[in-house]
Amino acid sequence: RQAMKQTLGRDVGIPVATHDYLTNIANLMKSVTVIEESKMASLTNVATRDGLTGLFDQATFKYRLKEELERQVRYGGALSLLMFDLDHFKKLNDTYGHAEGDRVLKGVADVIRSQVRMLDVAARYGGEEFAVILPTVDTAGALLFANRLREAIFKAFESEEYTVSMSGGICTNLETGDKSADELIKVADKGLYKAKEAGRNRIEMAE
């Protein structure tokens, strides 16, 4: 940076000096494109989001879940995971068309956004399945949140010809951080299927 400043008679700044060093001196980067920081942030945001709902995608969800578990190990406190999907969604798609199904998925995402806290992580896990990471929330709090969300989703579509309901499963990691990310997902999914078997439109725990 100092050498470039002396040669050019002006300070080029750290980003330009770093770019020059990595590209021309260390030869560690090729075909580099310089873009504005705000645009980079925007592109990064788009790359981590589900295109239809605007919620985080599955890959980002799994990454964030691991991050939250690491934070839990450092600072303690409970952490809960809610996995849920929409009941009879295939029938809705077959009866009313995929465009209407997409509208329902977007509407459900809007309801989720209205219910979560700033520190919660909401994602579209795939198809009609969703996931919400609830940091610092114990089992009782997770059940309260999940049932409030379930009721909000049901009410959001009350005026439609069809019914939209959700079945979900919850798993909580205690302060000991006893479960890995994959284990949390697996147990919460078991709760989801338990809810399906128990009649749907409900929240269950697998253990």
Side-chain angles (χ1 to χ4, degrees), residues 62-77 79 133 173 175-177 179-181 184:
K62 288 182 175 179
Y63 177 78
R64 292 291 301 274
L65 180 56
K66 289 177 181 177
E67 276 192 330
E68 290 300 334
L69 286 171
E70 289 171 2
R71 185 175 289 112
Q72 183 190 27
V73 169
R74 289 197 302 272
Y75 302 112
L79 181 147
I133 304 168
N173 227 20
E175 291 190 26
T176 51
K179 295 182 181 65
S180 67
L184 272 171

